C-alpha cells in the first residue's frame, strides 16, 4: 500500500499540470495498477484541485476504468452488430459457461476478468475478442477454448 | 541478394496471426540462409486474405494469402521469394480486381508504405499538400477545402471548409489594441470510431499516420490553431503506437512543432486516449472528455467552432475528413471534386463488415450502389445464405432490406429512404437474423451508452427494450408496436444528440421493413 501510494503520488505529479489532466492521469493509474482504486480519489482530487465527487463521477462515467482489481488477464468479447451477424452471441454464452462467470466478474483463481466490448474495429473478420492488448479475429468457441487453455488459469469445464 | 517482404502490422492482420507469420518467415529465412528484409506495412484492406504476404519483384509486388504459419515452409519450398507459383499465390497485388477497381485517394499509401517511415511517406507524395498550404493564406486554404466539396466523414456530413471558415474567423474581433494577441484555437481529431462495422480511421492511423498528421497540420495553419489533439479510442492500442511514433518523427524533422519547415508556423500535436464511452464520439461530449470531465453532451449553440475546447474556437473533424485534406491541397480542389455524385463529392472509404465473404476496405467515388458493394466486392454473405438486411452507418443507422440495395451511396439518396451513410460502415446479415432482436439491441445499446442528460434517451431506451421483449414474447403485439412508435417519436424529437435522436432509425426501419419478425402480420408496412 505504501509503495502504491508513492507510485500514485509520482503519477499525479507527472500529470497534474497537463490541460485536461484527469483522463490521462486515470489511464496512467490503471496502466500501472491495473485499476483505479477508490482510495486514490483523495490524492487525485487534491493534486488536480477537484472534489472527490468529481473524480468519482468521471471514473464511473467511463466504461474503460474499473475500481476493482482485475484478474491476471482481461478477456473482452465484442457484442456489437457486426460480430452479432457472425455469431458472437454463441461465443458469449459459451465463454460465460466455461468460465462460470458473467460479465464484469473474475474467475475464482483470479485468472480472467470477462468484459463486454462494443466493436474492436475488426468487423471484416467478425466475431472478435480481445485478450489483454491483442485482438483475435474469426474466433470460434473452439478457438476461444484454446486461447483460454494457454493462459495461466484454471477453467471450470 | 536481399529479398524485400511486406507483412502488415495492421491490427486486423495481427488478429489473423501476422506477427507469428512474420516471425516464422524470418526464422525460416535464417535457417535457409536467405537475406530478407521484412517491412511491416499497413493493410491493403483485403481482410479475408490476411495475413497477406507480399514480395517485391522487378515486375512489382506479388501477393500470397491468406498465409498461416503452417504455410511458411511450403512457401519457401515453392520459392515464393522469387514469386514462384504456390496455391496461395495471387499474382501482382495491384492487379487483384478487388483492389484495381478502387479509387484510392485518401488510402493511396495504406498498405504500400512503411507507416512509421517518414522517408517512405515523402517518397510517396507525402507532405506535398502541406508545402502548398505553407505558401497560401488561411482563407485560400479554407476556400480550397470548401471548393473540393469535402463533407465530414464522421457522420453528420457537414461541409468541412465551412466549419474551418467559422473557426478562422472566430476570435478575429478580439484582437485588442496594438497587442493583437492571436487567440488560442484548437484542432481536435475525432478518432473515437465507435460505430460497429467501421475501421477506416484505424486503418489510416495504423497504416498511414503521417497523412492524418499532415491533414491536421494544414487545418491548424488554415485556421490559426497551434495545438492539436487526437482523441483516440482506447480499444486501439496499435494505432496509439504508430501515431506516437509518427508524431515523434515529425517533431524531430521540423514537420511538427515550431517553425514548421522553416515557416513561422507552429503546430503541436498530442494523442489523448478515450475511455470506452460511445457517446464521447459526439463532438461536444468529446470536448468535455478532453477537458477531463464526464462526457456529457453540451447544448449547441455555442458551436465548438466558436466555443470549443477549453472555451476556445475549435475545429473538430473525423480522421478520414482530415486525412483527405492533404491530397486536396496537393492536387487541387477540382481534382477531388471530380469524383462523386450530386452534393456528395470525392470518395468514401467504405468498410464491408458482418456476414460478408470478402470483407475489407473499398474506397470509391460516391455513387456506387449497395448491391455492387455487397456482391461485386463483398462476394455475398460469408455463410453463403442470402443477405437479408444490411445496417449502414453504425448502430444509429437504418437497416435496409434487399429492395433498397440499388440505392447509390450518396448522402441525399440515403436520406430520401430514411437512412444514413454515417462513417461508411456496411454490416451485412444473412437470413438467420432476427430483426426484432436487432431492434431490441438498438435500444439496449442506447441505454448502455446514454450520457443521461435527456429523459427520452436515458429512460426511453430501457423502456423500449422492455417493450420489444413483450413483442417478442407475443404479448399485446399491436398495442406494443404502437408504443414503440410513440416512444420513437419522443426520442426523435426530444433528444439533445443523435444517440437518443437516431436510435429510432434502426428500431423503426427494422419494424417497417421486417414486420414479420415482430410477431405481427397485421401491421401495415409504412412507406419509408
Ligand atoms: C453518439 C454519437 C457518436 C459519434 N461518434 C463519432 C465518432 O466515433 N467519430 C466521428 O468522427 N464522429 C462521431 N460522431 C459525429 C461527431 O459528433 C461530429 O459530427 C464529427 O466528429 C465531426 O467531424 P466531421 O465533420 O469531420 O465528420 C458521433 C456523433 C454522435 C451523436
Ligand atoms: S440524447 Fe442521450 S446521449 Fe444524447 S445528450 Fe441526450 S441523454 Fe445524452
Ligand atoms: S462489431 Fe465486433 S469488431 Fe466491430
Amino acid at each position: 500500500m505504501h509503495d502504491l501510494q508513492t507510485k500514485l503520488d509520482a503519477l499525479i505529479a507527472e500529470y497534474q499540470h497537463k490541460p485536461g489532466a484527469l483522463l490521462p492521469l486515470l489511464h496512467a493509474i490503471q496502466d500501472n495498477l491495473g485499476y483505479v482504486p477508490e482510495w486514490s480519489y483523495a490524492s487525485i482530487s487534491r493534486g488536480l484541485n477537484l472534489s472527490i465527487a468529481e473524480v468519482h463521477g468521471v471514473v464511473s462515467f467511463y466504461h474503460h476504468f474499473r475500481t476493482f482489481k482485475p484478474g491476471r488477464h482481461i478477456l473482452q468479447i465484442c457484442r456489437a452488430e457486426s460480430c452479432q451477424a457472425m455469431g458472437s452471441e454463441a461465443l458469449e454464452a459459451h465463454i460465460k459457461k466455461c468460465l462460470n462467470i458473467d460479465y464484469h466478474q473474475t474467475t475464482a483463481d483470479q485468472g480472467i476478468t470477462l468484459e463486454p466490448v462494443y466493436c474492436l474495429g475488426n468487423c471484416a473478420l467478425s466475431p472478435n475478442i480481445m485478450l489483454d492488448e491483442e485482438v483475435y479475429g474469426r474466433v470460434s468457441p473452439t478457438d476461444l477454448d484454446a486461447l483460454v487453455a494457454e493462459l495461466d488459469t484454471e477453467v471450470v469445464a | 541478394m536481399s529479398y524485400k517482404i511486406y507483412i502488415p502490422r495492421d491490427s486486423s492482420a495481427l488478429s489473423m496471426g501476422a506477427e507469428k507469420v512474420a516471425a516464422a518467415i524470418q526464422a525460416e529465412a535464417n535457417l535457409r540462409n536467405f537475406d530478407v528484409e521484412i517491412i511491416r506495412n499497413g493493410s491493403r484492406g483485403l481482410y479475408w486474405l490476411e495475413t497477406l504476404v507480399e514480395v517485391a519483384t522487378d515486375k512489382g509486388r506479388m501477393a500470397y494469402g491468406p498465409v498461416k504459419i503452417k504455410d511458411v515452409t511450403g512457401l519457401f519450398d515453392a520459392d515464393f521469394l522469387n514469386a514462384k507459383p504456390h496455391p496461395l499465390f495471387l499474382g501482382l497485388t495491384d492487379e487483384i480486381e478487388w483492389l484495381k477497381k478502387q479509387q484510392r485517394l485518401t488510402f493511396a499509401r495504406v498498405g504500400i508504405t512503411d507507416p512509421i517511415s517518414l522517408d517512405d511517406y515523402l517518397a510517396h507524395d507525402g507532405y506535398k499538400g502541406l508545402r502548398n498550404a505553407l505558401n497560401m493564406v488561411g482563407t485560400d486554404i479554407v476556400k480550397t477545402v470548401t471548393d473540393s466539396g469535402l463533407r465530414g466523414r464522421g457522420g453528420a456530413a457537414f461541409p468541412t471548409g465551412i466549419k474551418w471558415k467559422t473557426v478562422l474567423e472566430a476570435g478575429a474581433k478580439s484582437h485588442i489594441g496594438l497587442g493583437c494577441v492571436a487567440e488560442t484555437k484548437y484542432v481536435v481529431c475525432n478518432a473515437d470510431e465507435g460505430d460497429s462495422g467501421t475501421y477506416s480511421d484505424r486503418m489510416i492511423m495504423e497504416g498511414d499516420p503521417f497523412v492524418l498528421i499532415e491533414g491536421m497540420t494544414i487545418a491548424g495553419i488554415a485556421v490559426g490553431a497551434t495545438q492539436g489533439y487526437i482523441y483516440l479510442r482506447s480499444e486501439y492500442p496499435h494505432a496509439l503506437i504508430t501515431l506516437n511514433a509518427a508524431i515523434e518523427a515529425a517533431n524531430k524533422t521540423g514537420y511538427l512543432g515550431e517553425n514548421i519547415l522553416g515557416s513561422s508556423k507552429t503546430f503541436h500535436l498530442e494523442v489523448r486516449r478515450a475511455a470506452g464511452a460511445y457517446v464521447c464520439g459526439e463532438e461536444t461530449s468529446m470536448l468535455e472528455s478532453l477537458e477531463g470531465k464526464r462526457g456529457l453532451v453540451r447544448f449547441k449553440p455555442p458551436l465548438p467552432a466558436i466555443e470549443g475546447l477549453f472555451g476556445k474556437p475549435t475545429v473538430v473533424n473525423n480522421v478520414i475528413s482530415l486525412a483527405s485534406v492533404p491530397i486536396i491541397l496537393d492536387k487541387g480542389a477540382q481534382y477531388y471534386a471530380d469524383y462523386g455524385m450530386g452534393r456528395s463529392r470525392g470518395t468514401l472509404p467504405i468498410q464491408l463488415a458482418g456476414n460478408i465473404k470478402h470483407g475489407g476496405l473499398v474506397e470509391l467515388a460516391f455513387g456506387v450502389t449497395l448491391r455492387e458493394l455487397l456482391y461485386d466486392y463483398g462476394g455475398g454473405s460469408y455463410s453463403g445464405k442470402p443477405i437479408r438486411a444490411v445496417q449502414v452507418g453504425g448502430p444509429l443507422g437504418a437497416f435496409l432490406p434487399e429492395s433498397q440495395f440499388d440505392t447509390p451511396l450518396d448522402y441525399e439518396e440515403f436520406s430520401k429512404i430514411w437512412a444514413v451513410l454515417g462513417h461508411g460502415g456496411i454490416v451485412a446479415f444473412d437470413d438467420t437474423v432476427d430483426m426484432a432482436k436487432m431492434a431490441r439491441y438498438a435500444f439496449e445499446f442506447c441505454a448502455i451508452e446514454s450520457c443521461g442528460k435527456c429523459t427520452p434517451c436515458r429512460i426511453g431506451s430501457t423502456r423500449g427494450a422492455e417493450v420489444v421483449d413483450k413483442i417478442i414474447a407475443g404479448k399485446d403485439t399491436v398495442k406494443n408496436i404502437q408504443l414503440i412508435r410513440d416512444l420513437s417519436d419522443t426520442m426523435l424529437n426530444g433528444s439533445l444528440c443523435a444517440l437518443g435522436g437516431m436510435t429510432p432509425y434502426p428500431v423503426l426501419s427494422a419494424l417497417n421493413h421486417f414486420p414479420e419478425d415482430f410477431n405481427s402480420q397485421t401491421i401495415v408496412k409504412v412507406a419509408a
Side-chain angles (χ1 to χ4, degrees), chain B residues 229-491:
Chain B
Y229 291 102
I230 299 172
Y231 186 81
L232 176 69
R233 71 192 307 241
S234 55
E235 292 84 351
Y236 286 176
H238 295 284
L240 180 66
I241 294 167
T242 41
L243 281 173
N244 279 333
I247 289 172
E248 194 188 326
N251 273 321
K252 278 196 184 137
T253 48
Y255 286 93
L256 272 179
E258 272 148 41
N259 289 320
I260 292 174
L261 297 181
S263 71
S264 57
K265 308 288 187 197
T266 299
F267 191 68
H268 299 284
L269 187 53
E270 187 183 327
V271 183
R272 286 287 173 96
R273 284 158 74 193
Y278 178 75
V279 72
C280 286
E282 193 283 331
E283 57 186 6
T284 64
S285 165
M286 181 179 63
L287 296 174
E288 289 288 300
S289 182
L290 279 169
E291 292 180 9
K293 303 176 193 154
R294 293 152 69 206
L296 293 185
V297 173
R298 295 178 184 169
F299 288 99
K300 287 194 264 193
L303 291 172
I306 314 264
E307 277 180 46
L309 187 61
F310 303 114
K312 302 293 182 190
T314 304
V315 167
V316 179
N317 273 130
N318 170 256
V319 173
I320 300 297
S321 316
L322 289 162
S324 300
V325 167
I327 195 166
I328 293 169
L329 267 292
D330 173 15
K331 304 214 165 157
Q334 196 56 46
Y335 175 85
Y336 192 77
D338 280 346
Y339 292 87
M341 71 175 275
R343 287 175 47 228
S344 306
R345 307 314 311 175
T347 57
L348 182 67
I350 299 144
Q351 302 123 91
L352 298 179
N355 200 322
I356 195 90
K357 197 164 161 203
H358 297 157
L361 186 111
V362 182
E363 182 176 353
L364 285 172
F366 287 92
V368 59
T369 67
L370 270 177
R371 197 179 301 278
E372 289 170 90
L373 288 163
L374 292 170
Y375 295 98
D376 298 354
Y377 287 89
S381 73
Y382 181 83
S383 63
K385 295 179 172 153
I387 297 178
R388 181 162 179 244
V390 297
Q391 187 177 30
V392 185
L396 308 174
F399 288 99
L400 311 185
E402 237 269 356
S403 60
Q404 294 183 329
F405 287 179
D406 292 310
T407 315
L409 268 70
D410 167 85
Y411 295 117
E412 281 66 41
E413 290 299 316
F414 263 62
S415 91
K416 276 184 206 160
I417 57 165
W418 210 63
V420 291
L421 276 183
H423 188 44
I426 300 178
V427 178
F429 295 83
D430 73 9
D431 63 1
T432 59
V433 68
D434 176 345
M435 296 307 294
K437 254 167 94 178
M438 297 316 298
R440 188 201 187 281
Y441 173 80
F443 276 130
E444 185 191 349
F445 184 73
C446 181
I448 295 168
E449 302 294 339
S450 170
C451 87
K453 201 153 174 167
C454 6
T455 321
C457 168
R458 190 182 66 237
I459 312 281
S461 51
T462 306
R463 187 93 178 83
E466 290 163 6
V467 179
V468 179
D469 278 339
K470 286 185 193 153
I471 296 170
I472 292 172
K475 264 191 233 156
D476 291 333
T477 355
V478 177
K479 195 182 112 224
N480 280 320
I481 284 173
Q482 191 51 47
L483 203 54
I484 291 290
R485 290 192 184 281
D486 294 345
L487 186 62
S488 294
D489 221 43
T490 312
M491 289 178 74

